[in-house]
Amino acid sequence: MVDNKVLVSEVMVPGGHAKAFEVKKGQLLQIIDAEGGQVADFIAFNQKDHSEKLSPTHTRISLKSLTLKVGDTLRSSMRRPMFEIVEDRSPSHDILIAACDEQRYLVDYGVAEHRSCVANFEEVLAPYGIGRETFPDPFNIFQSTHIEQDGTLVQEPCKTAAGDFIVLRALEDVIGAVSACPMDLNPIGGSQVTDVMVRVYKGEGAAA
Ligand SMILES: [Zn+2]
């Protein structure tokens, strides 16, 4: 899908940190697990109106599904299409789990001053005037979870291999942010925290 596309921008997200980036309507956003086994939390905002954000809960009811597949449209908090999944070379994603924050490490693991996805997003979105009180739940790209017959929600080690990726087509101009999740106290991200690559490509037509 992206093989013969023109690269617009590329950012390397260091393991445990986040980066923000812009994606214009029609452009393709590729999120790549550089080494494998790394969860990439992803949030996004309408560039013209930051109160509209990419929303897992509105996407779930739109898709009538707890999982994602190629062709699915990801909805915003205004229930409008914000991204379409155009290619997916990764085993799974999660659209159920809250992003890790300081309290996740403190309350659940007794660890203070641990890096977190929410604090990471706060760092990189501050220049855009977007604060943590407005953050939506994330799309947990590459995360593996499943629900058992009795309703138990099971978080599993990430199953991605090095180079696995997903490609989304932006359906609006957006500001996005990806956090290479710093969780190292449970096995969801494998045995170590590693880097994530984010690439933006021109879409179809000259305007994009
Ligand atoms: Zn996290």
Side-chain angles (χ1 to χ4, degrees):
M1 187 48 153
V2 295
D3 289 349
N4 49 8
K5 300 292 184 191
V6 176
L7 187 66
V8 173
S9 63
E10 177 179 79
V11 287
M12 196 273 286
V13 184
H17 293 70
K19 294 283 187 184
F21 46 86
E22 297 178 18
V23 191
K24 299 299 184 191
K25 182 175 180 178
Q27 291 181 339
L28 300 174
L29 169 66
Q30 184 183 34
I31 302 172
I32 308 161
D33 188 350
E35 297 183 31
Q38 175 63 44
V39 173
D41 284 41
F42 172 52
I43 62 175
F45 300 81
N46 182 326
Q47 191 162 30
K48 298 181 189 71
D49 176 4
H50 299 170
S51 70
E52 182 179 15
K53 38 214 154 182
L54 185 61
S55 171
T57 188
H58 295 94
T59 298
R60 290 194 299 266
I61 190 58
S62 167
L63 297 176
K64 298 183 177 64
S65 177
L66 301 178
T67 58
L68 301 174
K69 64 182 184 309
V70 170
D72 284 351
T73 297
L74 312 186
R75 298 290 189 105
S76 75
S77 52
M78 298 294 286
R79 300 184 190 267
R80 301 193 309 153
M82 194 172 249
F83 289 97
E84 177 190 0
I85 302 176
V86 295
E87 187 171 7
D88 191 7
R89 301 278 187 89
S90 54
S92 63
H93 311 286
D94 167 81
I95 53 173
L96 299 172
I97 310 291
C100 66
D101 53 19
E102 296 88 340
Q103 293 301 104
R104 171 71 163 137
Y105 295 96
L106 186 61
V107 174
D108 294 340
Y109 296 98
V111 176
E113 298 183 12
H114 196 289
R115 292 199 69 86
S116 70
C117 287
V118 171
N120 286 348
F121 288 141
E122 188 168 44
E123 280 176 12
V124 299
L125 290 168
Y128 295 93
I130 301 173
R132 76 158 64 197
E133 69 282 358
T134 71
F135 291 171
D137 280 347
F139 280 73
N140 297 306
I141 304 298
F142 310 133
Q143 186 163 346
S144 181
T145 52
H146 74 265
I147 297 173
E148 305 210 319
Q149 285 280 332
D150 66 356
T152 301
L153 178 60
V154 180
Q155 291 182 270
E156 303 166 323
C158 204
K159 296 188 178 78
T160 37
D164 282 358
F165 64 85
I166 187 170
V167 180
L168 309 174
R169 176 181 289 113
L171 305 175
E172 295 283 347
D173 293 353
V174 301
I175 298 165
V178 163
S179 173
C181 181
M183 173 56 78
D184 54 1
L185 303 175
N186 71 29
I188 63 134
S191 58
Q192 55 184 343
V193 177
T194 53
D195 301 342
V196 172
M197 289 295 300
V198 175
R199 294 184 179 134
V200 177
Y201 296 88
K202 277 191 178 180
E204 306 297 337

